Amino acid sequence: PSTPIVQMAPVLSVAAKAVTQPESAAVMKTAAATPELRATTAAYIPGSHEFAGSALTPSQEELLAQVFLQQGKCLADAMYYEARGEGRNGEIAIAEVIYNRMRSGYYPNTICGVVYEGARLHTGCQFSFTCSGDMDRPKSSVVWRHTQRLASQIGTGLVQLGDLTGGALSFHAVDVQPIWSDTMERTTQIGHHIFYRPVHHAITRGA
């Protein structure tokens, strides 16, 4: 029998140690690699548009906030495009798959890395919305605000991820039947999505 699945407490980015961004995003430095912060004075030149005063290199807190916001945006994007109209549990299920992948060792170790993996490849995007053109269309403002709020609550731990999906690493809509589904163990159906995990695979808490 397979090893029991360990319930996970969400962490918005396990990349506090090493941030790995998707191919389409710029790689950010981690707090550990942030140089010592020093104020610099910008001289005022009459008639110019240059800033006059003191400018600070972004602080460690600001850099971490940027990472937090970026990872939260990636999570919200996936929850919105994959599960809008699926209700709260449908969106949380997508978040679970992302966290499961991030901690599995088989996928990138950040939310953005998981969501946008293969987004620049013609046949390799892991989440179809990242290469289907869906993101070019306007979002529903009401649904998007709701999804952003839920993603933020997951990232900060206000909403705890349980195990709705049975440790799933993959899913597909009910109206398709991908070839890979026959090689994996079906765990559950939530809304219009069916979830799967590798046979005899256990998801454990990330290091």
Side-chain angles (χ1 to χ4, degrees), residues 103-150:
R103 290 164 166 159
S104 70
Y106 301 122
Y107 297 89
N109 65 349
T110 67
I111 293 172
C112 290
V114 167
V115 171
Y116 287 95
E117 183 180 15
R120 288 187 172 184
L121 304 178
H122 295 296
T123 58
C125 57
Q126 295 292 310
F127 288 79
S128 60
F129 76 90
T130 66
C131 57
S132 66
D134 285 353
M135 298 184 73
D136 296 330
R137 292 187 276 273
K139 295 184 178 78
S140 164
S141 57
V142 174
V143 177
W144 176 236
R145 284 196 300 271
H146 164 81
T147 305
Q148 284 181 303
R149 182 164 55 252
L150 181 56

Coordinates of all heavy atoms in Angstrom, one line a residue, residues 103-150:
R103 N 5.9 20.7 -4.1 CA 6.6 19.9 -3.1 C 7.0 18.5 -3.5 O 7.6 17.8 -2.7 CB 5.7 19.9 -1.8 CG 5.6 21.3 -1.2 CD 4.4 21.3 -0.2 NE 4.5 22.5 0.6 CZ 3.5 23.0 1.2 NH1 2.3 22.5 1.1 NH2 3.6 24.1 2.0
S104 N 6.6 18.1 -4.7 CA 6.8 16.7 -5.1 C 8.3 16.4 -5.5 O 8.7 15.2 -5.4 CB 5.9 16.4 -6.3 OG 6.4 17.1 -7.4
G105 N 9.0 17.4 -5.9 CA 10.4 17.1 -6.4 C 10.4 16.9 -7.9 O 11.5 16.8 -8.5
Y106 N 9.2 16.8 -8.5 CA 9.2 16.5 -10.0 C 8.9 17.8 -10.8 O 9.0 17.8 -12.0 CB 8.0 15.5 -10.3 CG 8.2 14.2 -9.6 CD1 7.2 13.7 -8.8 CD2 9.3 13.4 -9.8 CE1 7.3 12.5 -8.1 CE2 9.5 12.2 -9.2 CZ 8.4 11.7 -8.4 OH 8.6 10.5 -7.7
Y107 N 8.6 18.9 -10.1 CA 8.3 20.1 -10.8 C 9.1 21.3 -10.1 O 9.7 21.1 -9.1 CB 6.8 20.4 -10.6 CG 5.9 19.3 -11.3 CD1 5.5 18.2 -10.6 CD2 5.5 19.5 -12.6 CE1 4.7 17.2 -11.2 CE2 4.7 18.5 -13.2 CZ 4.3 17.4 -12.5 OH 3.5 16.5 -13.1
P108 N 9.0 22.5 -10.7 CA 9.7 23.6 -10.1 C 9.2 23.8 -8.7 O 8.1 23.4 -8.3 CB 9.2 24.8 -11.0 CG 9.0 24.2 -12.4 CD 8.4 22.8 -12.0
N109 N 10.0 24.5 -7.9 CA 9.8 24.6 -6.4 C 9.1 26.0 -6.1 O 9.2 26.4 -4.9 CB 11.0 24.4 -5.6 CG 12.1 25.5 -5.9 OD1 12.0 26.3 -6.8 ND2 13.1 25.5 -5.0
T110 N 8.5 26.7 -7.0 CA 7.8 27.9 -6.7 C 6.4 27.8 -7.4 O 6.2 27.0 -8.4 CB 8.5 29.2 -7.2 OG1 8.5 29.1 -8.7 CG2 9.9 29.3 -6.7
I111 N 5.5 28.6 -6.9 CA 4.1 28.6 -7.5 C 4.2 29.0 -9.0 O 3.7 28.4 -9.9 CB 3.2 29.5 -6.7 CG1 2.9 28.9 -5.4 CG2 1.9 29.7 -7.5 CD1 2.2 29.8 -4.4
C112 N 4.9 30.1 -9.2 CA 5.0 30.6 -10.6 C 5.7 29.6 -11.5 O 5.3 29.4 -12.7 CB 5.7 32.0 -10.7 SG 4.7 33.3 -9.9
G113 N 6.7 29.0 -11.0 CA 7.4 28.0 -11.8 C 6.6 26.8 -12.2 O 6.6 26.3 -13.3
V114 N 5.7 26.4 -11.2 CA 4.8 25.3 -11.5 C 3.7 25.7 -12.5 O 3.5 25.0 -13.5 CB 4.1 24.8 -10.2 CG1 2.9 23.9 -10.5 CG2 5.1 24.1 -9.3
V115 N 3.1 26.9 -12.3 CA 2.0 27.3 -13.2 C 2.5 27.6 -14.6 O 1.8 27.2 -15.6 CB 1.4 28.6 -12.6 CG1 0.3 29.2 -13.5 CG2 0.7 28.2 -11.2
Y116 N 3.6 28.2 -14.7 CA 4.1 28.6 -16.1 C 5.1 27.7 -16.7 O 5.7 28.1 -17.7 CB 4.6 30.1 -16.0 CG 3.5 31.1 -15.8 CD1 3.1 31.5 -14.6 CD2 2.7 31.5 -16.9 CE1 2.0 32.4 -14.4 CE2 1.7 32.4 -16.8 CZ 1.3 32.8 -15.5 OH 0.3 33.7 -15.4
E117 N 5.3 26.5 -16.1 CA 6.2 25.6 -16.7 C 5.8 25.2 -18.1 O 4.7 24.9 -18.4 CB 6.3 24.3 -15.9 CG 7.3 23.3 -16.4 CD 7.3 22.0 -15.6 OE1 6.4 21.8 -14.8 OE2 8.3 21.3 -15.7
G118 N 6.7 25.4 -19.1 CA 6.5 25.1 -20.5 C 5.6 26.1 -21.2 O 5.2 25.8 -22.3
A119 N 5.3 27.2 -20.6 CA 4.4 28.2 -21.2 C 4.9 28.7 -22.6 O 4.1 29.1 -23.4 CB 4.2 29.4 -20.3
R120 N 6.2 28.7 -22.8 CA 6.8 29.2 -24.1 C 6.9 28.1 -25.1 O 7.3 28.3 -26.2 CB 8.1 29.8 -23.8 CG 8.0 31.2 -23.1 CD 9.4 31.9 -23.1 NE 9.3 33.2 -22.6 CZ 10.3 34.1 -22.6 NH1 11.5 33.6 -23.0 NH2 10.2 35.3 -22.1
L121 N 6.6 26.9 -24.7 CA 6.7 25.7 -25.6 C 5.4 25.5 -26.3 O 4.3 25.7 -25.8 CB 7.1 24.5 -24.9 CG 8.4 24.6 -24.0 CD1 8.7 23.3 -23.3 CD2 9.6 24.9 -24.9
H122 N 5.5 25.0 -27.6 CA 4.3 24.8 -28.4 C 3.5 23.6 -27.8 O 2.3 23.5 -28.0 CB 4.6 24.5 -29.8 CG 5.2 25.7 -30.5 ND1 4.5 26.9 -30.7 CD2 6.5 25.9 -31.0 CE1 5.3 27.8 -31.3 NE2 6.5 27.2 -31.5
T123 N 4.1 22.6 -27.2 CA 3.4 21.4 -26.8 C 3.7 21.1 -25.3 O 3.4 20.0 -24.9 CB 3.9 20.2 -27.6 OG1 5.3 20.1 -27.5 CG2 3.6 20.4 -29.1
G124 N 4.3 22.1 -24.6 CA 4.7 21.7 -23.2 C 4.1 22.5 -22.1 O 4.5 22.2 -21.0
C125 N 3.1 23.3 -22.3 CA 2.5 24.1 -21.2 C 1.7 23.1 -20.3 O 1.0 22.3 -20.7 CB 1.6 25.2 -21.7 SG 0.3 24.8 -22.7
Q126 N 2.0 23.2 -19.0 CA 1.3 22.4 -18.0 C -0.1 22.8 -17.7 O -0.9 22.0 -17.4 CB 2.2 22.3 -16.7 CG 3.6 21.7 -16.9 CD 3.5 20.2 -17.2 OE1 2.8 19.5 -16.5 NE2 4.1 19.8 -18.3
F127 N -0.3 24.1 -17.7 CA -1.6 24.7 -17.4 C -2.0 25.3 -18.7 O -1.4 26.3 -19.2 CB -1.6 25.6 -16.3 CG -1.5 25.0 -14.9 CD1 -0.2 24.6 -14.5 CD2 -2.6 24.8 -14.1 CE1 -0.1 23.9 -13.3 CE2 -2.4 24.1 -12.9 CZ -1.2 23.7 -12.5
S128 N -3.1 24.8 -19.4 CA -3.4 25.2 -20.7 C -3.6 26.7 -20.9 O -3.3 27.3 -22.0 CB -4.6 24.5 -21.2 OG -5.8 24.7 -20.4
F129 N -4.1 27.4 -19.9 CA -4.4 28.8 -20.0 C -3.2 29.6 -20.3 O -3.2 30.8 -20.8 CB -5.2 29.4 -18.8 CG -4.3 29.6 -17.6 CD1 -3.7 30.8 -17.4 CD2 -4.1 28.6 -16.6 CE1 -2.9 31.1 -16.3 CE2 -3.3 28.8 -15.5 CZ -2.7 30.0 -15.4
T130 N -2.0 29.1 -19.9 CA -0.8 29.9 -20.1 C -0.3 29.9 -21.5 O 0.6 30.7 -21.9 CB 0.4 29.3 -19.2 OG1 0.7 28.0 -19.7 CG2 0.0 29.2 -17.8
C131 N -0.9 29.1 -22.4 CA -0.4 29.1 -23.8 C -1.6 29.1 -24.8 O -1.4 28.9 -26.0 CB 0.5 28.0 -24.1 SG -0.1 26.3 -23.7
S132 N -2.8 29.3 -24.3 CA -4.0 29.1 -25.1 C -4.6 30.5 -25.6 O -5.5 30.5 -26.4 CB -5.1 28.4 -24.4 OG -5.6 29.2 -23.2
G133 N -4.0 31.6 -25.0 CA -4.6 32.9 -25.3 C -5.6 33.4 -24.4 O -6.1 34.5 -24.5
D134 N -6.0 32.5 -23.4 CA -7.1 32.9 -22.5 C -6.7 34.1 -21.7 O -7.6 35.0 -21.3 CB -7.3 31.7 -21.5 CG -8.1 30.6 -22.1 OD1 -8.6 30.8 -23.2 OD2 -8.3 29.6 -21.4
M135 N -5.4 34.3 -21.4 CA -5.0 35.4 -20.6 C -5.1 36.8 -21.3 O -5.0 37.8 -20.7 CB -3.6 35.2 -20.1 CG -3.4 34.0 -19.2 SD -1.8 33.8 -18.5 CE -1.8 35.2 -17.3
D136 N -5.3 36.7 -22.6 CA -5.4 38.0 -23.4 C -6.9 38.5 -23.3 O -7.1 39.7 -23.7 CB -5.1 37.7 -24.9 CG -3.6 37.3 -25.0 OD1 -2.8 37.8 -24.2 OD2 -3.3 36.6 -26.0
R137 N -7.8 37.7 -22.8 CA -9.2 38.1 -22.7 C -9.5 38.8 -21.4 O -8.9 38.3 -20.4 CB -10.1 37.0 -23.0 CG -10.1 36.5 -24.4 CD -11.1 35.4 -24.7 NE -10.7 34.1 -24.3 CZ -10.0 33.3 -25.1 NH1 -9.6 33.7 -26.3 NH2 -9.6 32.1 -24.7
P138 N -10.3 39.7 -21.3 CA -10.6 40.4 -20.0 C -11.2 39.5 -19.0 O -12.0 38.5 -19.3 CB -11.7 41.5 -20.4 CG -11.5 41.7 -21.9 CD -11.1 40.3 -22.4
K139 N -10.8 39.7 -17.8 CA -11.4 38.9 -16.6 C -12.7 39.5 -16.2 O -13.0 40.7 -16.3 CB -10.4 38.9 -15.5 CG -9.0 38.2 -15.7 CD -8.3 38.2 -14.4 CE -6.9 37.5 -14.5 NZ -5.9 38.4 -15.2
S140 N -13.5 38.6 -15.5 CA -14.6 39.1 -14.8 C -14.1 39.8 -13.5 O -13.5 39.1 -12.7 CB -15.6 38.0 -14.5 OG -16.5 38.3 -13.5
S141 N -14.4 41.1 -13.3 CA -13.8 41.8 -12.2 C -14.3 41.2 -10.9 O -13.5 41.1 -9.9 CB -14.1 43.3 -12.3 OG -15.5 43.5 -12.3
V142 N -15.5 40.8 -10.8 CA -16.1 40.3 -9.5 C -15.4 39.0 -9.2 O -15.0 38.8 -8.0 CB -17.6 40.2 -9.6 CG1 -18.1 39.5 -8.3 CG2 -18.3 41.5 -9.8
V143 N -15.4 38.1 -10.1 CA -14.8 36.7 -9.9 C -13.3 36.9 -9.6 O -12.8 36.2 -8.7 CB -15.0 35.8 -11.1 CG1 -14.4 34.5 -10.9 CG2 -16.5 35.6 -11.4
W144 N -12.6 37.7 -10.3 CA -11.2 37.9 -10.2 C -10.9 38.4 -8.8 O -9.9 37.9 -8.1 CB -10.6 38.9 -11.2 CG -9.2 39.2 -11.1 CD1 -8.6 40.4 -11.0 CD2 -8.1 38.3 -11.1 NE1 -7.3 40.4 -10.9 CE2 -6.9 39.1 -10.9 CE3 -8.0 36.9 -11.1 CZ2 -5.6 38.5 -10.8 CZ3 -6.7 36.3 -11.0 CH2 -5.5 37.1 -10.9
R145 N -11.6 39.4 -8.3 CA -11.4 39.9 -6.9 C -11.6 38.8 -5.9 O -10.8 38.7 -4.9 CB -12.3 41.1 -6.6 CG -11.9 42.4 -7.3 CD -12.6 43.6 -6.6 NE -14.1 43.5 -6.7 CZ -14.8 44.0 -7.8 NH1 -14.1 44.5 -8.8 NH2 -16.1 43.8 -7.8
H146 N -12.6 38.0 -6.1 CA -12.9 36.9 -5.2 C -11.7 35.9 -5.2 O -11.2 35.4 -4.1 CB -14.2 36.1 -5.5 CG -14.3 34.8 -4.9 ND1 -14.7 34.6 -3.6 CD2 -14.0 33.5 -5.4 CE1 -14.8 33.3 -3.3 NE2 -14.3 32.6 -4.4
T147 N -11.2 35.6 -6.4 CA -10.1 34.6 -6.5 C -8.8 35.2 -5.9 O -8.1 34.4 -5.3 CB -9.9 34.3 -8.0 OG1 -11.1 33.8 -8.6 CG2 -8.8 33.2 -8.2
Q148 N -8.6 36.4 -6.2 CA -7.4 37.0 -5.6 C -7.4 37.0 -4.0 O -6.4 36.7 -3.4 CB -7.3 38.5 -6.0 CG -6.8 38.7 -7.4 CD -6.7 40.2 -7.8 OE1 -7.7 40.9 -7.6 NE2 -5.5 40.6 -8.1
R149 N -8.6 37.2 -3.5 CA -8.7 37.2 -2.0 C -8.5 35.8 -1.5 O -7.8 35.6 -0.5 CB -10.1 37.7 -1.6 CG -10.3 37.8 -0.1 CD -11.5 38.6 0.3 NE -12.7 38.2 -0.4 CZ -13.3 38.9 -1.4 NH1 -12.8 40.0 -1.8 NH2 -14.4 38.4 -2.0
L150 N -9.1 34.8 -2.2 CA -8.9 33.4 -1.7 C -7.4 33.0 -1.9 O -6.9 32.3 -1.0 CB -9.8 32.5 -2.5 CG -9.7 31.0 -2.2 CD1 -10.0 30.8 -0.7 CD2 -10.7 30.2 -3.0

